[in-house]
Amino acid sequence: MQWESRHVSWSPVHVLGATRDSRWLVICDHATNRVPESVGGGSLGIADEDMARHIAYDPGAAGVSIRLAEKLEAPVVLSNFSRLVIDPNRGEDDPTLVMRLYDGTIIPANRHVDSSETTRRLNLCYRPYHETLASMARRREDTVIVSVHSFTPQFRHRPPRPWHIGLLFADDARLSHPLIDLLREEPGLVVGANQPYSGHLKGDTIDKHAIAEGRHNTLIEIRNDLIQEDDQQTEWADRLARLLPLALERAESKG
């Protein structure tokens, strides 16, 4: 789903379905591999095939996010800049905020980024994204945040990853635990808990907008070879739209 093509002028963030009144809020931190013209003239100096890899964005995640939001009758907030420009799912003081090397690829435009350039990119991309996300999360007192990501089946020179989907969580697993249970009841799914990554980075998106505010939340990671095509994205959105309300019901029934 090439959702960016519907927008003529560049903006660091897009909100689709902003007037939908559902308590659900779907977010996609790594929706695109786009590089704004004001950063390296629109290029980070790496090959097109690298910009198409997971190092630059989360392939398939935007399509799943948009479809899931439609099915939940919820708004969706999508970044519109590559994670290699600046990673919105990091704290502002995180050393991996601007990556210089990722999964074997050197990022030429980032090799000599200093604090001044980091601040410029924060103001250009990162802060507007988080300001918009905060505003959308405040529209209701009972907002539930669902963050959609994808992961590569295998890092270079690393073992294959067996999971089809992983749920990441930190101190607040109220929604994640019942969702994991429900997903594990689905035939043939290999489901990870805090896989393929740990579920907490200080200052990341969930930390900022969900945990700090006491909001129900979960971060979903889907293996990206399973959401390459539109019909695959729809299938996963259908599954998650069916299970998320059940998981929330279980979470809230426990108080």
Side-chain angles (χ1 to χ4, degrees):
M1 175 178 285
Q2 296 299 316
W3 60 273
E4 305 103 312
S5 64
R6 299 202 296 265
H7 306 277
V8 177
S9 59
W10 181 79
S11 169
V13 57
H14 290 305
V15 180
L16 305 180
T19 60
R20 297 172 189 157
D21 193 38
S22 168
R23 67 184 292 193
W24 297 97
L25 176 63
V26 181
I27 64 175
C28 190
D29 290 325
H30 302 141
T32 180
N33 58 3
R34 190 165 183 177
V35 180
E37 285 294 321
S38 58
V39 177
S43 171
L44 296 173
I46 66 177
D48 289 347
E49 53 265 33
D50 278 325
M51 286 302 295
R53 293 203 299 132
H54 68 97
I55 65 171
Y57 76 125
D58 284 354
V64 174
S65 299
I66 291 168
R67 289 172 171 84
L68 176 60
E70 289 171 348
K71 294 172 189 300
L72 294 174
E73 299 182 345
V76 56
V77 180
L78 304 114
S79 69
N80 194 27
F81 52 93
S82 171
R83 68 193 300 170
L84 294 179
V85 172
I86 194 163
D87 195 332
N89 194 33
R90 296 289 186 274
E92 291 197 11
D93 59 352
D94 192 297
T96 65
L97 186 64
V98 178
M99 293 290 282
R100 291 163 173 79
L101 173 69
Y102 194 2
D103 194 20
T105 297
I106 294 171
I107 320 302
N110 292 350
R111 291 184 70 179
H112 304 295
V113 167
D114 58 13
S115 60
S116 175
E117 175 61 12
T118 298
T119 298
R120 189 181 76 87
R121 295 188 192 184
L122 283 167
N123 291 331
L124 178 71
C125 299
Y126 180 107
R127 289 170 179 159
Y129 174 73
H130 282 285
E131 287 163 6
T132 299
L133 207 164
S135 176
M136 292 302 299
R138 285 195 300 266
R139 79 198 195 289
R140 292 182 56 136
E141 292 184 358
D142 60 351
T143 293
V144 181
I145 294 179
V146 179
S147 181
V148 179
H149 292 249
S150 71
F151 66 94
T152 184
Q154 186 174 13
F155 276 121
R156 289 176 174 172
H157 313 299
R158 302 278 185 88
R161 290 159 154 180
W163 310 280
H164 299 124
I165 184 171
L167 275 291
L168 308 191
F169 50 90
D171 298 333
D172 181 4
R174 291 173 296 167
L175 181 58
S176 295
H177 279 165
L179 184 55
I180 289 168
D181 292 340
L182 288 163
L183 284 164
R184 285 178 172 165
E185 294 172 8
E186 297 282 291
L189 280 191
V190 180
V191 182
N194 273 338
Q195 297 288 356
Y197 315 106
S198 169
H200 180 65
L201 287 172
K202 187 173 184 291
D204 68 9
T205 302
I206 290 293
D207 190 36
K208 277 188 177 80
H209 301 288
I211 294 174
E213 302 294 336
R215 296 179 176 121
H216 279 293
N217 68 88
T218 191
L219 192 155
I220 297 168
E221 290 268 5
I222 305 170
R223 209 174 68 202
N224 66 30
D225 61 321
L226 304 178
I227 50 174
Q228 293 178 342
E229 306 297 335
D230 285 355
D231 60 343
Q232 294 175 308
Q233 294 166 14
T234 298
E235 179 183 349
W236 277 98
D238 285 343
R239 175 183 285 120
L240 293 169
R242 173 168 52 85
L243 297 181
L244 278 163
L246 296 174
L248 181 61
E249 184 178 344
R250 290 187 185 183
E252 293 191 322
S253 70
K254 293 181 179 179

